[in-house]
Short mmCIF file of all heavy atoms in Angstrom, two decimals:
data_model
loop_
_atom_site.label_atom_id
_atom_site.label_comp_id
_atom_site.label_asym_id
_atom_site.label_seq_id
_atom_site.Cartn_x
_atom_site.Cartn_y
_atom_site.Cartn_z
N VAL I 147 -13.49 -4.71 20.05
CA VAL I 147 -12.68 -4.72 18.83
C VAL I 147 -12.99 -5.96 17.99
O VAL I 147 -13.05 -5.89 16.77
CB VAL I 147 -11.18 -4.63 19.17
CG1 VAL I 147 -10.33 -4.66 17.91
CG2 VAL I 147 -10.88 -3.36 19.96
N LEU I 148 -13.22 -7.08 18.66
CA LEU I 148 -13.60 -8.30 17.94
C LEU I 148 -14.90 -8.07 17.15
O LEU I 148 -15.02 -8.49 15.99
CB LEU I 148 -13.78 -9.45 18.94
CG LEU I 148 -14.04 -10.85 18.38
CD1 LEU I 148 -12.90 -11.32 17.49
CD2 LEU I 148 -14.26 -11.85 19.53
N GLY I 149 -15.84 -7.36 17.76
CA GLY I 149 -17.09 -7.03 17.07
C GLY I 149 -16.86 -6.11 15.89
O GLY I 149 -17.48 -6.27 14.83
N GLU I 150 -15.93 -5.14 16.03
CA GLU I 150 -15.63 -4.22 14.93
C GLU I 150 -14.98 -4.96 13.76
O GLU I 150 -15.18 -4.59 12.59
CB GLU I 150 -14.70 -3.10 15.43
CG GLU I 150 -15.40 -2.08 16.31
CD GLU I 150 -14.48 -0.95 16.73
OE1 GLU I 150 -13.40 -0.80 16.13
OE2 GLU I 150 -14.84 -0.22 17.66
N ILE I 151 -14.18 -5.98 14.05
CA ILE I 151 -13.56 -6.78 12.98
C ILE I 151 -14.66 -7.41 12.11
O ILE I 151 -14.57 -7.44 10.88
CB ILE I 151 -12.62 -7.85 13.55
CG1 ILE I 151 -11.40 -7.19 14.20
CG2 ILE I 151 -12.17 -8.84 12.48
CD1 ILE I 151 -10.52 -8.15 14.99
N HIS I 152 -15.72 -7.89 12.76
CA HIS I 152 -16.86 -8.46 12.02
C HIS I 152 -17.60 -7.38 11.23
O HIS I 152 -17.86 -7.52 10.04
CB HIS I 152 -17.85 -9.12 12.99
CG HIS I 152 -17.39 -10.43 13.54
ND1 HIS I 152 -17.28 -11.56 12.77
CD2 HIS I 152 -16.99 -10.77 14.78
CE1 HIS I 152 -16.84 -12.56 13.53
NE2 HIS I 152 -16.65 -12.10 14.75
N ASP I 153 -17.92 -6.29 11.94
CA ASP I 153 -18.81 -5.29 11.37
C ASP I 153 -18.14 -4.44 10.29
O ASP I 153 -18.72 -4.17 9.25
CB ASP I 153 -19.36 -4.36 12.47
CG ASP I 153 -20.18 -5.14 13.50
OD1 ASP I 153 -20.64 -6.25 13.17
OD2 ASP I 153 -20.33 -4.63 14.63
N ARG I 154 -16.90 -4.01 10.55
CA ARG I 154 -16.25 -3.04 9.65
C ARG I 154 -15.36 -3.70 8.61
O ARG I 154 -15.14 -3.14 7.54
CB ARG I 154 -15.47 -2.01 10.46
CG ARG I 154 -16.40 -1.13 11.30
CD ARG I 154 -15.65 -0.07 12.07
NE ARG I 154 -15.00 0.91 11.22
CZ ARG I 154 -14.46 2.04 11.68
NH1 ARG I 154 -14.51 2.31 12.96
NH2 ARG I 154 -13.87 2.88 10.84
N LEU I 155 -14.81 -4.87 8.94
CA LEU I 155 -13.96 -5.55 7.97
C LEU I 155 -14.68 -6.70 7.27
O LEU I 155 -14.20 -7.21 6.25
CB LEU I 155 -12.69 -6.08 8.66
CG LEU I 155 -11.81 -5.04 9.36
CD1 LEU I 155 -10.59 -5.70 9.99
CD2 LEU I 155 -11.37 -3.95 8.38
N GLY I 156 -15.80 -7.12 7.82
CA GLY I 156 -16.57 -8.20 7.19
C GLY I 156 -15.86 -9.53 7.22
O GLY I 156 -16.08 -10.39 6.36
N ALA I 157 -15.00 -9.74 8.22
CA ALA I 157 -14.21 -10.98 8.28
C ALA I 157 -14.95 -12.07 9.04
O ALA I 157 -15.71 -11.80 9.97
CB ALA I 157 -12.88 -10.70 8.97
N ASN I 158 -14.72 -13.32 8.62
CA ASN I 158 -15.22 -14.46 9.38
C ASN I 158 -14.20 -14.72 10.49
O ASN I 158 -13.35 -15.60 10.40
CB ASN I 158 -15.36 -15.69 8.48
CG ASN I 158 -15.86 -16.91 9.24
OD1 ASN I 158 -16.62 -16.79 10.20
ND2 ASN I 158 -15.42 -18.09 8.84
N ALA I 159 -14.29 -13.91 11.55
CA ALA I 159 -13.26 -13.90 12.59
C ALA I 159 -13.78 -14.56 13.86
O ALA I 159 -14.97 -14.53 14.17
CB ALA I 159 -12.85 -12.47 12.89
N ALA I 160 -12.85 -15.14 14.60
CA ALA I 160 -13.17 -15.69 15.93
C ALA I 160 -11.92 -15.67 16.78
O ALA I 160 -10.80 -15.84 16.28
CB ALA I 160 -13.71 -17.11 15.82
N ALA I 161 -12.12 -15.43 18.06
CA ALA I 161 -10.99 -15.44 18.99
C ALA I 161 -10.47 -16.87 19.14
O ALA I 161 -11.25 -17.81 19.31
CB ALA I 161 -11.45 -14.90 20.34
N ILE I 162 -9.15 -17.03 19.05
CA ILE I 162 -8.54 -18.31 19.42
C ILE I 162 -7.78 -18.15 20.74
O ILE I 162 -7.23 -19.10 21.27
CB ILE I 162 -7.60 -18.86 18.32
CG1 ILE I 162 -6.40 -17.93 18.08
CG2 ILE I 162 -8.36 -19.10 17.03
CD1 ILE I 162 -5.31 -18.55 17.23
N GLN I 163 -7.81 -16.90 21.26
CA GLN I 163 -7.27 -16.60 22.58
C GLN I 163 -8.23 -15.65 23.27
O GLN I 163 -9.01 -14.96 22.62
CB GLN I 163 -5.89 -15.94 22.48
CG GLN I 163 -4.82 -16.81 21.89
CD GLN I 163 -3.54 -16.03 21.63
OE1 GLN I 163 -3.45 -14.83 21.89
NE2 GLN I 163 -2.54 -16.72 21.10
N LEU I 164 -8.13 -15.60 24.58
CA LEU I 164 -9.00 -14.75 25.37
C LEU I 164 -8.16 -14.08 26.45
O LEU I 164 -7.39 -14.76 27.13
CB LEU I 164 -10.10 -15.60 26.01
CG LEU I 164 -11.44 -14.96 26.35
CD1 LEU I 164 -12.08 -14.32 25.13
CD2 LEU I 164 -12.36 -15.99 26.97
N PRO I 165 -8.27 -12.76 26.63
CA PRO I 165 -7.51 -12.12 27.71
C PRO I 165 -8.21 -12.31 29.05
O PRO I 165 -9.44 -12.33 29.11
CB PRO I 165 -7.51 -10.65 27.30
CG PRO I 165 -8.78 -10.47 26.53
CD PRO I 165 -9.04 -11.78 25.84
N ASP I 166 -7.43 -12.45 30.10
CA ASP I 166 -7.98 -12.44 31.45
C ASP I 166 -7.95 -10.99 31.92
O ASP I 166 -6.90 -10.48 32.31
CB ASP I 166 -7.14 -13.34 32.37
CG ASP I 166 -7.70 -13.35 33.81
OD1 ASP I 166 -8.80 -12.80 34.01
OD2 ASP I 166 -7.03 -13.90 34.70
N ALA I 167 -9.08 -10.31 31.81
CA ALA I 167 -9.24 -8.90 32.17
C ALA I 167 -8.53 -7.99 31.17
O ALA I 167 -7.99 -8.45 30.17
CB ALA I 167 -8.77 -8.64 33.60
N SER I 168 -8.57 -6.68 31.44
CA SER I 168 -7.92 -5.70 30.56
C SER I 168 -7.52 -4.50 31.38
O SER I 168 -7.69 -4.47 32.61
CB SER I 168 -8.86 -5.30 29.41
OG SER I 168 -10.05 -4.75 29.93
N GLU I 169 -7.00 -3.48 30.69
CA GLU I 169 -6.44 -2.28 31.32
C GLU I 169 -5.39 -2.69 32.35
O GLU I 169 -4.62 -3.62 32.10
CB GLU I 169 -7.56 -1.41 31.91
CG GLU I 169 -8.57 -0.94 30.86
CD GLU I 169 -9.64 -0.04 31.42
OE1 GLU I 169 -9.79 0.05 32.66
OE2 GLU I 169 -10.36 0.58 30.61
N GLU I 170 -5.36 -2.03 33.53
CA GLU I 170 -4.29 -2.34 34.50
C GLU I 170 -4.48 -3.71 35.15
O GLU I 170 -3.56 -4.25 35.78
CB GLU I 170 -4.19 -1.23 35.56
CG GLU I 170 -5.29 -1.22 36.60
CD GLU I 170 -6.56 -0.51 36.11
OE1 GLU I 170 -6.57 -0.03 34.95
OE2 GLU I 170 -7.53 -0.44 36.89
N LYS I 171 -5.66 -4.32 34.98
CA LYS I 171 -5.93 -5.64 35.58
C LYS I 171 -5.54 -6.80 34.66
O LYS I 171 -5.70 -7.96 35.03
CB LYS I 171 -7.41 -5.75 35.94
CG LYS I 171 -7.86 -4.77 37.01
CD LYS I 171 -9.35 -4.90 37.26
CE LYS I 171 -9.81 -3.89 38.30
NZ LYS I 171 -11.29 -3.93 38.49
N PHE I 172 -5.07 -6.49 33.44
CA PHE I 172 -4.72 -7.54 32.47
C PHE I 172 -3.66 -8.48 33.06
O PHE I 172 -2.58 -8.05 33.42
CB PHE I 172 -4.23 -6.89 31.18
CG PHE I 172 -3.80 -7.87 30.11
CD1 PHE I 172 -4.65 -8.87 29.68
CD2 PHE I 172 -2.54 -7.79 29.54
CE1 PHE I 172 -4.27 -9.76 28.70
CE2 PHE I 172 -2.14 -8.68 28.56
CZ PHE I 172 -3.01 -9.67 28.14
N LYS I 173 -4.00 -9.78 33.14
CA LYS I 173 -3.12 -10.74 33.83
C LYS I 173 -2.47 -11.74 32.88
O LYS I 173 -1.27 -11.96 32.92
CB LYS I 173 -3.93 -11.52 34.88
CG LYS I 173 -4.47 -10.69 36.01
CD LYS I 173 -5.31 -11.57 36.92
CE LYS I 173 -5.98 -10.74 37.99
NZ LYS I 173 -6.94 -11.57 38.77
N GLY I 174 -3.29 -12.41 32.08
CA GLY I 174 -2.76 -13.48 31.25
C GLY I 174 -3.62 -13.74 30.04
O GLY I 174 -4.60 -13.03 29.79
N ILE I 175 -3.25 -14.78 29.28
CA ILE I 175 -3.93 -15.10 28.02
C ILE I 175 -4.35 -16.56 28.03
O ILE I 175 -3.54 -17.45 28.35
CB ILE I 175 -3.00 -14.82 26.83
CG1 ILE I 175 -2.64 -13.33 26.78
CG2 ILE I 175 -3.64 -15.26 25.51
CD1 ILE I 175 -1.50 -13.01 25.85
N ILE I 176 -5.60 -16.79 27.66
CA ILE I 176 -6.12 -18.17 27.61
C ILE I 176 -6.11 -18.65 26.17
O ILE I 176 -6.68 -17.99 25.29
CB ILE I 176 -7.55 -18.23 28.19
CG1 ILE I 176 -7.54 -17.77 29.65
CG2 ILE I 176 -8.10 -19.65 28.08
CD1 ILE I 176 -8.88 -17.30 30.15
N ASP I 177 -5.48 -19.78 25.93
CA ASP I 177 -5.49 -20.43 24.62
C ASP I 177 -6.78 -21.25 24.53
O ASP I 177 -6.95 -22.25 25.23
CB ASP I 177 -4.25 -21.33 24.50
CG ASP I 177 -4.17 -22.04 23.16
OD1 ASP I 177 -5.21 -22.12 22.47
OD2 ASP I 177 -3.08 -22.50 22.80
N LEU I 178 -7.70 -20.81 23.66
CA LEU I 178 -9.01 -21.48 23.56
C LEU I 178 -8.91 -22.85 22.90
O LEU I 178 -9.77 -23.71 23.12
CB LEU I 178 -9.97 -20.60 22.76
CG LEU I 178 -10.38 -19.27 23.39
CD1 LEU I 178 -11.28 -18.48 22.45
CD2 LEU I 178 -11.08 -19.49 24.73
N ILE I 179 -7.88 -23.05 22.08
CA ILE I 179 -7.75 -24.33 21.38
C ILE I 179 -7.33 -25.42 22.36
O ILE I 179 -7.94 -26.49 22.43
CB ILE I 179 -6.74 -24.22 20.22
CG1 ILE I 179 -7.23 -23.19 19.19
CG2 ILE I 179 -6.53 -25.57 19.54
CD1 ILE I 179 -6.19 -22.73 18.21
N GLU I 180 -6.30 -25.12 23.15
CA GLU I 180 -5.78 -26.12 24.09
C GLU I 180 -6.35 -25.98 25.50
O GLU I 180 -6.03 -26.78 26.37
CB GLU I 180 -4.26 -26.03 24.13
CG GLU I 180 -3.61 -26.33 22.78
CD GLU I 180 -2.11 -26.49 22.87
OE1 GLU I 180 -1.56 -26.42 23.99
OE2 GLU I 180 -1.48 -26.71 21.82
N ARG I 181 -7.17 -24.95 25.71
CA ARG I 181 -7.74 -24.66 27.04
C ARG I 181 -6.63 -24.54 28.09
O ARG I 181 -6.67 -25.17 29.14
CB ARG I 181 -8.74 -25.75 27.45
CG ARG I 181 -10.01 -25.86 26.59
CD ARG I 181 -10.96 -26.87 27.21
NE ARG I 181 -12.23 -27.00 26.55
CZ ARG I 181 -12.55 -27.94 25.68
NH1 ARG I 181 -11.62 -28.84 25.33
NH2 ARG I 181 -13.75 -28.01 25.16
N LYS I 182 -5.65 -23.69 27.79
CA LYS I 182 -4.53 -23.46 28.71
C LYS I 182 -4.42 -21.97 29.04
O LYS I 182 -4.72 -21.12 28.20
CB LYS I 182 -3.21 -23.94 28.10
CG LYS I 182 -3.13 -25.45 27.87
CD LYS I 182 -3.08 -26.22 29.18
CE LYS I 182 -2.96 -27.72 28.96
NZ LYS I 182 -3.01 -28.46 30.24
N TYR I 183 -3.96 -21.69 30.25
CA TYR I 183 -3.86 -20.32 30.75
C TYR I 183 -2.39 -19.92 30.84
O TYR I 183 -1.62 -20.53 31.56
CB TYR I 183 -4.52 -20.26 32.13
CG TYR I 183 -4.61 -18.88 32.76
CD1 TYR I 183 -5.16 -17.81 32.07
CD2 TYR I 183 -4.16 -18.66 34.06
CE1 TYR I 183 -5.26 -16.56 32.65
CE2 TYR I 183 -4.26 -17.41 34.66
CZ TYR I 183 -4.81 -16.37 33.95
OH TYR I 183 -4.91 -15.12 34.52
N HIS I 184 -1.98 -18.90 30.04
CA HIS I 184 -0.58 -18.46 29.99
C HIS I 184 -0.42 -17.22 30.87
O HIS I 184 -1.04 -16.19 30.63
CB HIS I 184 -0.18 -18.12 28.55
CG HIS I 184 -0.20 -19.30 27.64
ND1 HIS I 184 0.93 -19.87 27.12
CD2 HIS I 184 -1.24 -20.05 27.15
CE1 HIS I 184 0.62 -20.90 26.36
NE2 HIS I 184 -0.71 -21.03 26.36
N VAL I 185 0.46 -17.35 31.88
CA VAL I 185 0.73 -16.24 32.80
C VAL I 185 2.20 -15.86 32.66
O VAL I 185 3.08 -16.72 32.69
CB VAL I 185 0.43 -16.63 34.27
CG1 VAL I 185 0.64 -15.44 35.18
CG2 VAL I 185 -0.99 -17.15 34.41
N TYR I 186 2.45 -14.55 32.52
CA TYR I 186 3.82 -14.04 32.33
C TYR I 186 4.40 -13.67 33.68
O TYR I 186 3.86 -12.82 34.40
CB TYR I 186 3.79 -12.85 31.36
CG TYR I 186 3.40 -13.31 29.97
CD1 TYR I 186 2.06 -13.51 29.64
CD2 TYR I 186 4.36 -13.59 29.02
CE1 TYR I 186 1.69 -13.97 28.38
CE2 TYR I 186 4.01 -14.05 27.75
CZ TYR I 186 2.67 -14.24 27.45
OH TYR I 186 2.31 -14.71 26.21
N MET I 187 5.53 -14.31 34.02
CA MET I 187 6.08 -14.23 35.37
C MET I 187 7.17 -13.17 35.52
O MET I 187 7.60 -12.88 36.64
CB MET I 187 6.65 -15.61 35.78
CG MET I 187 5.68 -16.76 35.61
SD MET I 187 4.12 -16.50 36.52
CE MET I 187 4.69 -16.61 38.21
N ASP I 188 7.67 -12.60 34.41
CA ASP I 188 8.71 -11.58 34.52
C ASP I 188 8.39 -10.42 33.57
O ASP I 188 7.58 -10.55 32.66
CB ASP I 188 10.09 -12.16 34.21
CG ASP I 188 10.21 -12.63 32.76
OD1 ASP I 188 9.17 -12.98 32.16
OD2 ASP I 188 11.34 -12.66 32.23
N ASP I 189 9.03 -9.28 33.81
CA ASP I 189 8.76 -8.08 33.01
C ASP I 189 9.17 -8.26 31.56
O ASP I 189 8.61 -7.64 30.66
CB ASP I 189 9.51 -6.87 33.59
CG ASP I 189 8.91 -6.44 34.92
OD1 ASP I 189 7.75 -6.82 35.18
OD2 ASP I 189 9.61 -5.74 35.68
N GLU I 190 10.18 -9.12 31.32
CA GLU I 190 10.68 -9.32 29.96
C GLU I 190 9.78 -10.24 29.14
O GLU I 190 9.92 -10.35 27.93
CB GLU I 190 12.08 -9.93 30.05
CG GLU I 190 13.00 -9.52 28.93
CD GLU I 190 14.43 -10.01 29.16
OE1 GLU I 190 14.62 -11.25 29.29
OE2 GLU I 190 15.33 -9.17 29.22
N GLY I 191 8.84 -10.92 29.81
CA GLY I 191 7.93 -11.81 29.11
C GLY I 191 8.55 -13.12 28.67
O GLY I 191 7.98 -13.83 27.83
N SER I 192 9.71 -13.48 29.22
CA SER I 192 10.40 -14.70 28.81
C SER I 192 9.99 -15.91 29.64
O SER I 192 10.08 -17.04 29.18
CB SER I 192 11.92 -14.51 28.89
OG SER I 192 12.33 -13.48 28.01
N VAL I 193 9.60 -15.68 30.89
CA VAL I 193 9.22 -16.78 31.78
C VAL I 193 7.69 -16.87 31.81
O VAL I 193 7.00 -15.96 32.26
CB VAL I 193 9.77 -16.56 33.21
CG1 VAL I 193 9.39 -17.73 34.11
CG2 VAL I 193 11.27 -16.36 33.18
N ILE I 194 7.17 -17.99 31.29
CA ILE I 194 5.72 -18.15 31.15
C ILE I 194 5.29 -19.42 31.87
O ILE I 194 5.86 -20.49 31.66
CB ILE I 194 5.31 -18.24 29.67
CG1 ILE I 194 5.86 -17.04 28.88
CG2 ILE I 194 3.80 -18.32 29.52
CD1 ILE I 194 5.77 -17.19 27.38
N ASP I 195 4.29 -19.29 32.72
CA ASP I 195 3.67 -20.46 33.35
C ASP I 195 2.44 -20.84 32.53
O ASP I 195 1.62 -19.98 32.21
CB ASP I 195 3.24 -20.13 34.78
CG ASP I 195 4.26 -20.62 35.79
OD1 ASP I 195 5.33 -21.09 35.36
OD2 ASP I 195 3.99 -20.51 37.01
N VAL I 196 2.32 -22.11 32.17
CA VAL I 196 1.14 -22.60 31.45
C VAL I 196 0.31 -23.41 32.43
O VAL I 196 0.73 -24.48 32.90
CB VAL I 196 1.53 -23.43 30.22
CG1 VAL I 196 0.28 -23.88 29.48
CG2 VAL I 196 2.44 -22.63 29.29
N LEU I 197 -0.87 -22.89 32.78
CA LEU I 197 -1.70 -23.47 33.83
C LEU I 197 -3.05 -23.91 33.27
O LEU I 197 -3.37 -23.67 32.10
CB LEU I 197 -1.93 -22.43 34.93
CG LEU I 197 -0.69 -21.68 35.45
CD1 LEU I 197 -1.12 -20.51 36.33
CD2 LEU I 197 0.21 -22.63 36.21
N GLU I 198 -3.82 -24.56 34.12
CA GLU I 198 -5.20 -24.89 33.76
C GLU I 198 -6.05 -23.60 33.83
O GLU I 198 -5.70 -22.67 34.55
CB GLU I 198 -5.77 -25.94 34.71
CG GLU I 198 -5.07 -27.29 34.63
CD GLU I 198 -5.12 -27.89 33.22
OE1 GLU I 198 -6.20 -27.87 32.60
OE2 GLU I 198 -4.06 -28.35 32.74
N VAL I 199 -7.15 -23.58 33.10
CA VAL I 199 -8.02 -22.41 33.10
C VAL I 199 -8.65 -22.24 34.48
O VAL I 199 -9.21 -23.20 35.03
CB VAL I 199 -9.13 -22.55 32.04
CG1 VAL I 199 -10.10 -21.37 32.10
CG2 VAL I 199 -8.53 -22.66 30.65
N PRO I 200 -8.57 -21.03 35.07
CA PRO I 200 -9.19 -20.80 36.38
C PRO I 200 -10.70 -21.08 36.34
O PRO I 200 -11.35 -20.87 35.31
CB PRO I 200 -8.93 -19.32 36.65
CG PRO I 200 -7.76 -18.97 35.79
CD PRO I 200 -7.85 -19.84 34.59
#
Side-chain angles (χ1 to χ4, degrees):
V147 179
L148 186 60
E150 287 183 15
I151 292 171
H152 285 291
D153 298 340
R154 294 182 65 170
L155 301 180
N158 179 31
I162 63 168
Q163 295 172 0
L164 207 57
D166 180 9
S168 59
E169 300 182 348
E170 74 277 0
K171 295 178 182 176
F172 178 54
K173 295 177 186 173
I175 298 167
I176 300 158
D177 181 342
L178 294 177
I179 298 165
E180 298 191 2
R181 295 186 176 99
K182 294 292 182 184
Y183 185 52
H184 295 250
V185 183
Y186 293 81
M187 308 304 292
D188 65 333
D189 290 341
E190 212 173 59
S192 298
V193 181
I194 306 168
D195 262 6
V196 182
L197 312 169
E198 295 302 315
V199 176

